Amino acid sequence: MDQDDSVDTERSSDVPRQDHQGIVHSATDRFLNSTRVLVEQVAQAGGAGAQAVVPESVLSSANHMLVSMRNAVESAPQVGAELEIVLKEIRAKRLTIQAITAELAVLDDQLEVLESSLAPLQAWSAQWSKVQHTLLHSLDLRAGEKG
């Protein structure tokens, strides 16, 4: 019976090992099959692009959105060009103001020279008015003494 017991023990210990090995082989086969399917799907996606794995409704929605975005961008005003025009106008106005300021400064200088040139003539005119007044007054006095 010792031999039978040892044979039974070997058989009983072999049964879980075989079951265990069968489970490992089955899990390995499933893992390999899943990996093979995944690799095939990736290869399809790489070969055919996103269209092979993305549904048509998603693709048409995405294409419609891209076309709408493109139209929106194309119809948007060219802010850069408009900004450049505004900046050119500002520069031109500043140059105009600088030119007018320079002209006014020159005109002020000319008026200052003219004013200083006319000051002696004004003083002479004031003196002449006094002389004239004095002469007329003295002539009136002489005419009053004679008459």
Side-chain angles (χ1 to χ4, degrees), residues 7 11 15-16 20 26 39 60 69-70 80 82 95 97 102 106 116:
V7 171
R11 285 185 190 162
V15 171
H20 185 58
S26 175
V39 168
S60 65
M69 288 175 65
R70 181 183 187 111
E82 291 177 8
L95 289 173
I97 289 170
V106 168
S116 63

Side-chain angles (χ1 to χ4, degrees), residues 1-69:
M1 280 219 158
D2 288 333
Q3 286 181 346
D4 288 336
D5 286 338
S6 67
V7 171
D8 285 340
T9 307
E10 284 180 24
R11 285 185 190 162
S12 65
S13 65
D14 283 343
V15 171
R17 283 184 188 168
Q18 288 175 354
D19 288 345
H20 185 58
Q21 287 177 352
I23 292 173
V24 171
H25 284 297
S26 175
T28 304
D29 286 342
R30 283 186 181 176
F31 175 74
L32 289 176
N33 284 335
S34 298
T35 305
R36 193 175 301 121
V37 169
L38 178 64
V39 168
E40 288 173 2
Q41 288 178 348
V42 169
Q44 274 185 336
Q51 295 174 351
V53 291
V54 177
E56 180 61 34
S57 62
V58 173
L59 286 176
S60 65
S61 296
N63 284 334
H64 180 69
M65 184 180 70
L66 289 173
V67 167
S68 298
M69 288 175 65

Side-chain angles (χ1 to χ4, degrees), residues 64-116:
H64 180 69
M65 184 180 70
L66 289 173
V67 167
S68 298
M69 288 175 65
R70 181 183 187 111
N71 290 338
V73 168
E74 287 175 350
S75 66
Q78 299 297 325
V79 175
E82 291 177 8
L83 185 60
E84 187 66 30
I85 291 170
V86 169
L87 286 174
K88 284 181 182 179
E89 186 176 350
I90 289 171
R91 285 185 201 116
K93 287 185 179 190
R94 290 188 71 223
L95 289 173
T96 301
I97 289 170
Q98 289 173 359
I100 291 171
T101 303
E103 286 180 26
L104 288 173
V106 168
L107 181 61
D108 185 52
D109 290 345
Q110 289 173 342
L111 290 174
E112 183 182 6
V113 168
L114 182 61
E115 186 178 21
S116 63

